[in-house]
Amino acid sequence: MSQNTPPEEFTGDLEINKPKTEAAGMAAIVASFEHVLRGTGVARGWKALVNLNQKDGFDCPSCAWPDPDGERSPIAEYCESGAKAVADEVMTKHTASPVLFQRYSVAELTAKSDLWLGQQGRLTQPLVLRPGATHYVPIDWSEAFGLIADQLNALESPDQAIFYTSGRTSNEAAFVYQLFVRMFGTNNMPDCSNMCHESTTVALTDTLGLGKASVTYEDYQTADVIMIMGQNPGTTAPRMLTPLEEMKRNGGKIIAVNPLHEAGLLAFKYPQSPRDMLLGGQKLADVFLQVRINSDLALLKAMCKLLIEEEKKAEAAGQPGKVLDRSFIDRQTSGYEAFVKSLDHFDLNDLAAQCGLTVAQIQEAVDLFKFTPKLVICWAMGLTQHKNAVATISELINLLLLKGSIGIKGGGASPIRGHSNVQGDRTMGVWEKPKPELLDALEKIFKFTPPRENGYDAVASVKAMHEGKAKVFFGLGGNFAMAVSDTNYTGEALRKCKLTVHVSTKLNRSHLIHGETALILPCLGRTDHDVQASGRQFVSCESTTGVVAQSHGILDAVSSHLKSEVAIVCELAKTTLKEKSTVNWDSLVADYDRIRELIEQTIEGFDNYNEKVRQPGGFYIPNGPRQREFKTNDKKAHFTINVPMRHELQTGELLLMTIRSHDQFNTTVYKNADRYRGIHNERRVVFMHPDDIANLGLQEKQVVDIHSRYDGVTRTAHRFIVIPYDIPRGCTAAYYPETNVLVPIDQKAEKSNTPISKSIVVTVTPNHEQM
């Protein structure tokens, strides 16, 4: 049987230290430069870092955290996570050239760790794995495009092809990609958002009319209170800590809601602040609510009940509206009365007990924002990857609507997007559920009839491949096999394809879990010069707050064989569609301004795109909720009624959430370490409460297997080391992608189909093996 999961070997050198209580500081500086210098020379590495996130530089290929609207640090407008992502891209000391693939067979590469695969450096030439072959070998670009086109055109239906997109793809590449795919005849365009913030998109669209953040960068600085739920900013978006520190120094308060005491929620030592470095960092969380896994909806509902009680007290004291914004509620929302009435069905003490908290602890948090509307709520995967994720985020909006915190300075909803341009790709039309307005525009401008039926999302794509309904998989970036749930099922699905294609900068495990024929197409990265017929080009990306800005590559590419994502997509479109398309694909590759002119004609909010994107810092695209304009059916923001989900665990069962280590970005592993949580030289660990360890008859550092059982099927993640940790009883945590194998493909969030990676019912048993 072919291997689909990462190797199960231990490093044999596990070191456990006390978890950190503050993020960044000198350790972050050292880690950043160590990673850069390990892969390239000082001059090349420094040039990349000083241009990272600058107005005339390139956009970070890591997270989607927005850049400051005003002045930026001239030396270091980046974080440790961004420095590591850039270091991986500018690496020159090693390259994944054809020599590597001549030396190692696919089977031998599969036996290597994800860390080892990433350390081989940038891909340098197109590669093909032909039917029955054991090794990838070089192929020229024209033959590769012809091979893909032949396979696509041989399909019985365009819907037998899957076109996946990673969040790294630029606006320009995403636009031509969705144009090509729809001209080919399908809406099968799953993206990485399907696996992360799709629940956010659904909830915000239903309640506010737009599936994006309602805040600007300035709102983080000017808020009176920020509540951070299900997010670990010290690892996932470290630059977020800078405005949080500024907000704190201005007198603001922070509420942290998380099952783990993460360093980035506790305190921050700003590496560019002499004060912080000499005198110590800034305390962040004023109130830390250590909730049980997936009890956030119960917490939010308890907070809403307490706000209603506080408003009644204010009314009794002759101060109506002191707590709730009744003017906003009456004029610009619907469903308020039914929502308030529904709260009577929930007991406050019971809601608190579901969270593992007391009512007094929740009241302490509510007291921080009960008299101010300047409340920002931030969230990430800790809220979005549960069966009831859409309901939880909808309840979060209920709280903000009660306070009138939408569409004001210093207030709003702030999902923290986890990949650099994942939001921009969706704006450009990469979505399996296209809006009719987009399809109408495409039909009018490009004179073709786009498909109207919804396509496959990520989970549906895997099932379609597994069932033989889809036979070609094309991935524009990403590491699909490791990002999706149910690793073995997903691997089986990909191996059933006639053709798998990956456009990538570096080697990853998805290249090794392949179809009958497989292609790896190497592309330029954000840091690389992109020179086409009209000269040097730039691309653009959208941040989590809806700012679209330009990104210029600043370094020579490691190989002359690399093509830009735009060039790859357009060449493939030209080769596949031929006379079926009237688009001059060559002209779009020659000058990206022409792509932006087409975007301007097609996508709402991009008027004068070429002019506005050249403004220093870019521009904000229109955002209705930010102006208190709601594109819902009644033009109002919606209160909704949501019921908390109870996890009735049986004896011996725990609730597992998958997490990333500090030395990891999505599925990319930079190092076998998790500095903030005190774990070094190992990834195959499982964090458990000491009482749960004892109750299960286990011991610290014992080797165990983790099992999930759904619909009569048992799935097992083998060989993990038990780590006692400060986590609520009945809860446990372990790193992904190693534990994705436990998440059944059919276990997904209601309405959004996002995998339930943050609340998996598991059992833990001895492995009977030694470290």
Side-chain angles (χ1 to χ4, degrees):
M1 180 179 177
S2 299
Q3 182 176 328
N4 299 315
T5 58
E8 297 172 354
E9 289 81 12
F10 298 130
T11 65
D13 194 26
L14 171 63
E15 179 184 334
I16 305 174
N17 296 326
K18 186 177 179 180
K20 303 294 183 183
T21 57
E22 69 177 11
M26 183 57 68
I29 298 174
V30 172
S32 298
F33 283 97
E34 177 187 28
H35 204 81
V36 171
L37 297 178
R38 188 187 304 133
T40 193
V42 175
R44 182 178 172 88
W46 179 251
K47 184 176 182 180
L49 291 178
V50 297
N51 282 278
L52 177 55
N53 294 319
Q54 298 298 338
K55 293 179 180 179
D56 57 352
F58 65 94
D59 193 61
C60 182
S62 187
C63 78
W65 181 253
D67 300 313
D69 293 329
E71 294 299 316
R72 301 180 187 177
S73 169
I75 298 176
E77 191 56 62
Y78 58 85
C79 65
E80 180 183 348
S81 180
K84 290 173 180 174
V86 168
D88 260 23
E89 189 170 294
V90 303
M91 184 184 298
T92 54
K93 292 182 180 179
H94 300 280
T95 58
S97 71
V99 174
L100 175 74
F101 296 92
Q102 183 180 25
R103 181 181 304 152
Y104 296 101
S105 69
V106 171
E108 289 170 326
L109 290 170
T110 302
K112 301 293 186 180
S113 69
D114 292 318
L115 174 62
W116 187 94
L117 295 176
Q119 288 175 333
Q120 302 316 298
R122 291 285 295 275
L123 295 157
T124 63
Q125 288 184 234
L127 299 162
V128 62
L129 182 70
R130 300 190 188 277
T134 58
H135 291 67
Y136 274 101
V137 296
I139 183 174
D140 65 47
W141 279 104
S142 60
E143 184 182 356
F145 290 132
L147 191 160
I148 301 168
D150 288 345
Q151 290 271 12
L152 289 174
N153 289 325
L155 295 173
E156 296 176 5
S157 163
D159 289 330
Q160 290 183 322
I162 306 292
F163 295 91
Y164 174 71
T165 315
S166 159
R168 187 201 64 212
T169 304
S170 69
N171 280 359
E172 291 74 12
F175 182 81
V176 295
Y177 189 56
Q178 64 84 29
L179 178 61
F180 157 56
V181 173
R182 293 195 165 101
M183 283 187 164
F184 178 66
T186 185
N187 284 316
N188 289 345
M189 279 181 278
D191 64 355
C192 57
S193 188
N194 292 154
M195 295 170 278
C196 56
H197 268 292
E198 197 67 57
S199 300
T200 294
T201 299
V202 173
L204 295 189
T205 301
D206 288 350
T207 57
L208 301 180
L210 181 69
K212 298 183 179 183
S214 69
V215 298
T216 67
Y217 187 91
E218 185 181 1
D219 291 326
Y220 301 109
Q221 301 168 301
T222 57
D224 286 336
V225 179
I226 293 180
M227 183 156 64
I228 305 169
M229 305 187 70
Q231 188 216 354
N232 176 15
T235 291
T236 60
R239 285 200 300 151
M240 179 180 176
L241 300 177
T242 303
L244 290 182
E245 180 186 44
E246 183 175 345
M247 171 259 199
K248 285 284 294 185
R249 295 201 189 282
N250 290 336
K253 303 294 183 181
I254 293 176
I255 302 166
V257 180
N258 205 294
L260 298 176
H261 283 91
E262 305 285 19
L265 295 171
L266 302 177
F268 171 53
K269 183 181 286 187
Y270 185 33
Q272 297 184 59
S273 167
R275 170 182 170 175
D276 281 12
M277 298 302 287
L278 293 174
L279 302 179
Q282 170 68 50
K283 177 187 174 183
L284 294 179
D286 297 278
V287 174
F288 197 110
L289 300 177
Q290 189 177 23
V291 295
R292 290 175 178 154
I293 291 173
N294 196 23
S295 64
D296 306 271
L297 200 162
L299 171 66
L300 290 161
K301 193 166 291 292
M303 288 180 165
C304 290
K305 283 182 68 71
L306 289 171
L307 284 176
I308 298 297
E309 291 181 6
E310 293 291 344
E311 175 67 10
K312 290 178 179 178
K313 293 177 185 177
E315 290 175 352
Q319 296 179 299
K322 185 177 182 181
V323 176
L324 306 186
D325 189 339
R326 288 307 305 263
S327 176
F328 169 74
I329 291 170
D330 293 342
R331 295 180 182 181
Q332 295 189 269
T333 75
S334 63
Y336 170 74
E337 297 296 339
F339 168 70
V340 172
K341 185 176 181 180
S342 73
L343 292 177
D344 293 336
H345 299 294
F346 300 94
D347 178 75
L348 192 57
N349 289 300
D350 180 57
L351 292 171
Q354 289 181 50
C355 303
L357 302 172
T358 64
V359 173
Q361 287 175 294
I362 302 174
Q363 181 70 60
E364 183 184 9
V366 170
D367 286 345
L368 295 182
F369 59 79
K370 63 183 179 183
F371 296 139
T372 176
K374 296 175 69 174
L375 168 67
V376 171
I377 303 182
C378 306
W379 72 94
M381 304 304 92
L383 261 60
T384 67
Q385 293 180 325
H386 302 282
K387 184 174 286 292
N388 62 335
V390 173
T392 297
I393 298 165
S394 299
E395 193 73 14
L396 179 156
I397 297 302
N398 286 339
L399 177 58
L400 290 172
L401 295 181
L402 287 176
K403 294 299 302 171
S405 299
I406 300 292
I408 64 168
K409 183 177 180 179
S414 177
I416 305 301
R417 302 282 178 175
H419 207 165
S420 176
N421 198 41
V422 62
Q423 188 164 291
D425 292 347
R426 187 62 66 86
T427 301
M428 292 297 106
V430 173
W431 197 19
E432 76 280 357
K433 300 174 184 175
K435 295 180 179 179
E437 300 91 328
L438 171 65
L439 299 181
D440 292 343
L442 292 174
E443 185 167 6
K444 177 181 178 181
I445 295 164
F446 296 100
K447 311 302 181 186
F448 78 104
T449 303
R452 296 277 169 170
E453 301 80 13
N454 287 346
Y456 296 133
D457 61 18
V459 167
S461 293
V462 173
K463 297 187 72 173
M465 289 186 286
H466 204 279
E467 296 167 4
K469 296 177 182 178
K471 299 179 179 180
V472 173
F473 176 88
F474 187 99
L476 189 59
N479 186 7
F480 186 80
M482 292 295 98
V484 188
S485 55
D486 213 340
T487 309
N488 284 322
Y489 182 92
T490 297
E492 293 169 2
L494 288 166
R495 294 183 192 279
K496 291 182 178 182
C497 289
K498 295 286 290 183
L499 174 69
T500 51
V501 184
H502 294 276
V503 179
S504 304
T505 56
K506 300 186 69 180
L507 179 63
N508 65 52
R509 191 164 300 280
S510 291
H511 304 147
L512 311 176
I513 302 173
H514 55 80
E516 184 178 321
T517 300
L519 285 165
I520 303 174
L521 305 182
C523 66
L524 296 174
R526 293 271 177 85
T527 59
D528 297 325
H529 289 309
D530 184 354
V531 181
Q532 304 296 343
S534 67
R536 190 167 291 177
Q537 305 297 309
F538 70 85
V539 295
S540 53
C541 302
E542 180 182 339
S543 74
T544 196
T545 55
V547 174
V548 176
Q550 56 186 305
S551 177
H552 299 260
I554 46 83
L555 297 173
D556 292 333
V558 298
S559 169
S560 61
H561 295 288
L562 305 185
K563 288 183 178 288
S564 72
E565 289 181 316
V566 167
I568 292 171
V569 171
C570 290
E571 289 275 3
L572 179 59
K574 182 177 69 172
T575 307
T576 304
L577 300 176
K578 298 180 180 177
E579 69 280 355
K580 295 180 183 178
S581 170
T582 57
V583 174
N584 186 339
W585 300 100
D586 288 336
S587 73
L588 300 184
V589 177
D591 188 346
Y592 296 177
D593 274 359
R594 294 169 185 156
I595 301 174
R596 287 184 283 271
E597 289 170 0
L598 295 176
I599 294 172
E600 179 180 327
Q601 298 174 49
T602 311
I603 308 296
E604 182 183 0
F606 285 80
D607 300 336
N608 304 313
Y609 192 5
N610 274 310
E611 176 184 343
K612 291 193 294 186
V613 78
R614 285 176 164 83
Q615 299 171 358
F619 64 99
Y620 279 95
I621 57 176
N623 185 299
R626 198 174 287 157
Q627 310 302 322
R628 290 191 166 180
E629 297 173 359
F630 307 107
K631 290 187 177 181
T632 57
N633 55 359
D634 59 1
K635 306 302 180 184
K636 293 184 177 183
H638 294 171
F639 281 93
T640 54
I641 298 173
N642 310 290
V643 179
M645 179 177 179
R646 293 179 182 270
H647 292 276
E648 301 292 346
L649 299 177
Q650 303 301 310
T651 302
E653 290 183 339
L654 303 171
L655 201 59
L656 171 76
M657 62 177 182
T658 67
I659 57 176
R660 71 167 69 168
S661 74
H662 184 65
D663 281 282
Q664 174 183 354
F665 175 69
N666 293 346
T667 61
T668 300
V669 176
Y670 299 128
K671 192 176 181 181
N672 288 326
D674 193 357
R675 187 175 77 245
Y676 290 159
R677 299 190 185 108
I679 303 299
H680 300 272
N681 307 320
E682 188 55 72
R683 285 184 55 81
R684 301 190 74 83
V685 299
V686 55
F687 299 100
M688 300 176 65
H689 191 282
D691 289 352
D692 290 327
I693 296 173
N695 291 338
L696 293 174
L698 303 175
Q699 297 179 354
E700 180 177 354
K701 292 187 179 181
Q702 184 171 351
V703 178
V704 297
D705 294 336
I706 310 172
H707 317 273
S708 69
R709 185 172 177 80
Y710 288 85
D711 300 322
V713 178
T714 299
R715 295 166 174 82
T716 300
H718 297 281
R719 307 189 76 232
F720 285 76
I721 301 169
V722 172
I723 305 294
Y725 207 78
D726 183 6
I727 187 171
R729 291 177 181 82
C731 300
T732 185
Y735 304 129
Y736 72 85
E738 290 86 348
T739 49
N740 285 354
V741 67
L742 297 169
V743 188
I745 197 70
D746 286 320
Q747 291 296 317
K748 50 193 186 293
E750 296 167 351
K751 296 186 179 181
S752 71
N753 286 346
T754 300
I756 61 161
S757 302
K758 293 294 183 288
S759 51
I760 314 156
V761 178
V762 300
T763 56
V764 180
T765 62
N767 175 267
H768 303 300
E769 294 185 25
Q770 300 300 313
M771 289 178 57

